[in-house]
Amino acid sequence: MSAFIPYSTQSIDATDYDAVLETMMSPYLTCGPKAGEFEDAVCSFTGANYAVAVNSCTSALHLAMLALGVGPGDIVYVSAISFAASANCARMAGAEVRFVDVDPDSGLMDMDCLERMLDCAADERALPKAVVAVDLSGRCVDLKRLHELSMRYGFKVVEDAAHALGATFNGDMVGCGKYSDITVLSFHPVKIITTAEGGMALTNDEKLAHRIRALSSHGIEHDKARLNDKSKPGYYYEMQDLGYNYRMCDLLAALGISQMRRIGVFLEQRRRKARMYRELLSGAENISLPDPDTEGNESSWHLYQVRIKNGRRDQVYTTLRSKNIGVQVHYLPIYRHPYYWNTGKYVPLEGAEAFFSQTLSIPLYPTLSHLQQQLCAATLMSAAEGC
Ligand SMILES: *Cc1c(COP(=O)(O)O)cnc(C)c1O
């Protein structure tokens, strides 16, 4: 049997080894110049004004909540289909989570559903303080409508772009800050670029950026102009808020900088392979394909999520896994996890249930060979045939 093909994996080369090794031999393993250089690279790529590198996207989400002032008594709306961290950040901050249903075909937040929820919430004076929307698979949610709703109902937009570094929406780059208050990225190895573990928060709001940075480093303030007591010598700093140690170390930031040099290649390879799947899988029985890119609306293609018709997704999953093809399901609706479900506060949402029951992520990553891709497509088609 052929070797295991994962649904996604990192692309590491000799320039990455060199970058990490060089930093390993430098004076600073952490808190040196590399995190700042990495932040600058992501800012110039995305168009964001400010970036704070942290040790995971989960940390970035947590800090986003805290920086926006989300706390006990607040409500946060979250896409029902995402990785659990998209919702957990609100719980970490002590807020209540309400799930917003998704489009059954794309898994992206359903803006009609969101608008209906906001309408009701306005009547009940229970509007959310923030909405966490997810660019699932690397495809942007309707950011324009989300932004319009945020203006009308007065909530903050946190865009979970863990999948979507390099994606575009109406010609704008994810993270540029036109529609979102804070955009968060993940650098887990399966994502678009990697730092092993790592994440980043992007914003165009100087105050938010400063708050996120301070909270990522114990809530400590070093900047003399911002100290309560400005009379002390250089050793003096103040802990002004209860913060965390969520910093990204220089070793990992060096890997991030090196990876950013190849992001154009990574995106092009993912996009080319997504187009190839469209060819290879055209006319496949019982399989629906994700929408292709259009001008100005390009997915980063973190995931290639097909939909398996006729309720046979689990069988197709099991067949492919038995043939060493690392398909995966992204995701169980978050409210179905026992931590949420056992509260008795949540009910199944129609779009999320429909999406979950059909979705299957098939292998897609920059180094997937054409032969491997043909094998994945052919095995998928024969598994789905006649279901
Ligand atoms: C991967 C992922 C996260 C968490 O990222 P980490 O860097 O592993 O903390 C959050 N949200 C989504 C949608 C993800 O896919």
Side-chain angles (χ1 to χ4, degrees):
M1 186 154 41
S2 48
F4 182 73
I5 304 174
Y7 77 87
S8 184
T9 189
Q10 68 272 15
S11 302
I12 298 290
D13 74 9
T15 64
D16 296 321
Y17 305 152
D18 289 346
V20 176
L21 198 60
E22 196 184 296
T23 304
M24 193 94 100
M25 296 184 294
S26 80
Y28 296 105
L29 302 186
T30 190
C31 299
K34 291 298 174 187
E37 282 174 34
F38 183 34
E39 288 161 356
D40 291 346
V42 177
C43 279
S44 58
F45 179 74
T46 58
N49 289 349
Y50 305 97
V52 182
V54 289
N55 59 2
S56 75
C57 180
T58 303
S59 299
L61 282 162
H62 185 195
L63 297 183
M65 292 290 118
L66 298 177
L68 292 171
V70 171
D74 289 328
I75 296 166
V76 175
Y77 286 5
V78 181
S79 264
I81 295 286
S82 186
F83 184 57
S86 306
N88 297 349
C89 58
R91 298 293 304 132
M92 291 173 189
E96 283 297 313
V97 174
R98 305 264 154 85
F99 292 102
V100 184
D101 205 4
V102 300
D103 175 82
D105 294 337
S106 67
L108 297 173
M109 185 179 280
D110 179 335
M111 293 300 154
D112 292 331
C113 177
L114 174 62
E115 188 167 355
R116 283 195 299 274
M117 284 174 72
L118 291 165
D119 256 352
C120 291
D123 291 343
E124 293 163 11
R125 304 178 137 269
L127 282 165
K129 189 152 206 170
V131 172
V132 181
V134 182
D135 297 327
L136 189 74
S137 81
R139 175 68 65 201
C140 288
V141 289
D142 187 343
L143 291 165
K144 189 160 180 286
R145 228 177 124 196
L146 181 60
H147 181 251
E148 284 163 5
L149 290 170
S150 78
M151 293 289 118
R152 177 146 32 113
Y153 291 95
F155 60 82
K156 300 294 182 186
V157 174
V158 175
E159 185 181 352
D160 184 340
H163 299 180
L165 178 60
T168 57
F169 176 79
N170 285 354
D172 289 311
M173 193 64 104
V174 155
C176 73
K178 190 160 167 183
Y179 304 104
S180 311
D181 295 283
I182 300 174
T183 301
V184 296
L185 304 170
S186 171
F187 310 125
H188 181 280
V190 295
K191 309 287 166 78
I192 306 299
I193 63 162
T194 191
T195 60
E197 295 281 0
M200 202 175 274
L202 308 176
T203 182
N204 287 349
D205 181 324
E206 196 269 333
K207 283 204 182 70
L208 281 178
H210 181 264
R211 227 173 290 159
I212 292 170
R213 190 176 301 286
L215 289 169
S216 76
S217 194
H218 312 280
I220 283 174
E221 186 59 70
H222 288 278
D223 181 2
K224 189 134 197 166
R226 297 178 191 258
L227 297 177
N228 287 291
D229 182 348
K230 297 179 175 51
S231 70
K232 294 273 197 305
Y235 67 80
Y236 181 77
Y237 59 80
E238 292 173 356
M239 190 202 110
Q240 297 181 343
D241 260 316
L242 183 61
Y244 299 82
N245 183 351
Y246 280 172
R247 292 182 308 258
M248 174 177 282
C249 70
D250 275 43
L251 290 179
L252 299 185
L255 178 54
I257 295 163
S258 175
Q259 290 262 302
M260 276 307 284
R261 295 199 178 105
R262 304 205 298 294
I263 187 163
V265 179
F266 294 160
L267 289 167
E268 180 45 40
Q269 286 168 325
R270 284 182 176 274
R271 284 169 181 153
R272 196 169 342 120
K273 285 172 216 296
R275 290 194 293 271
M276 180 54 67
Y277 266 137
R278 227 168 208 279
E279 269 178 47
L280 294 171
L281 295 171
S282 70
E285 244 180 87
N286 300 317
I287 299 173
S288 295
L289 304 181
D291 286 340
D293 288 340
T294 56
E295 172 101 34
N297 289 284
E298 290 182 292
S299 175
S300 58
W301 295 103
H302 163 55
L303 300 174
Y304 197 86
Q305 297 184 286
V306 302
R307 277 163 290 133
I308 309 294
K309 301 297 173 183
N310 299 348
R312 300 290 290 268
R313 195 273 316 281
D314 284 0
Q315 286 93 319
V316 173
Y317 167 87
T318 306
T319 304
L320 288 171
R321 278 277 169 162
S322 77
K323 295 178 190 302
N324 254 350
I325 294 178
V327 286
Q328 188 52 276
V329 171
H330 299 97
Y331 295 91
L332 182 75
I334 301 175
Y335 54 76
R336 288 242 171 233
H337 287 290
Y339 172 79
Y340 291 101
W341 192 253
N342 293 344
T343 62
K345 291 179 189 167
Y346 300 104
V347 294
L349 301 175
E350 201 178 318
E353 295 294 320
F355 180 81
F356 166 65
S357 70
Q358 298 190 347
T359 191
L360 190 69
S361 304
I362 64 175
L364 179 67
Y365 49 88
T367 56
L368 180 74
S369 74
H370 185 61
L371 222 62
Q372 286 173 317
Q373 194 177 6
Q374 284 176 311
L375 176 69
C376 292
T379 315
L380 171 64
M381 283 197 284
S382 75
E385 240 167 56
C387 346

